[in-house]
Amino acid sequence: MSQNEIITVEVVYATAAKQKLLKVKVPSGTTAQVAIEKSGILAEFPEIDLATQKIGIFAKAVKLDTVLREKDRVEIYRPLIADPKEVRRQRAAEGKIMKKGGGEV
């Protein structure tokens, strides 16, 4: 692939209420960060903070300086609202409490 070749990539982001997929044409050799900036998604979702949020390509975590390939999909991940391990612990604890008192009449 020559440096002058143009490739098409997708940049995606989703909130609980809205999801956005943008196709972007960039020169080969472009990094994920440049594609995100060029897509315009940062203007549409000002809450995105690339300094703290993780990104990935097809669900595989990558760094902002990862060089993209034709048809890559750059995904911007939202921060978690709850720690999944803690949620599982709480559910397990609630289940144990329910079982202890469930058999008495």
Side-chain angles (χ1 to χ4, degrees), residues 1-7 26-30 67-68:
M1 234 182 243
S2 73
Q3 189 68 18
N4 296 335
E5 188 174 342
I6 299 296
I7 62 172
V26 294
S28 63
T30 296
V67 174
L68 300 176

Side-chain angles (χ1 to χ4, degrees), residues 77-94:
Y77 304 123
R78 288 182 291 149
L80 295 175
I81 22 182
D83 177 15
K85 289 180 184 176
E86 186 57 36
V87 170
R88 281 193 293 276
R89 274 190 214 107
Q90 288 174 354
R91 284 189 189 143
E94 288 169 8

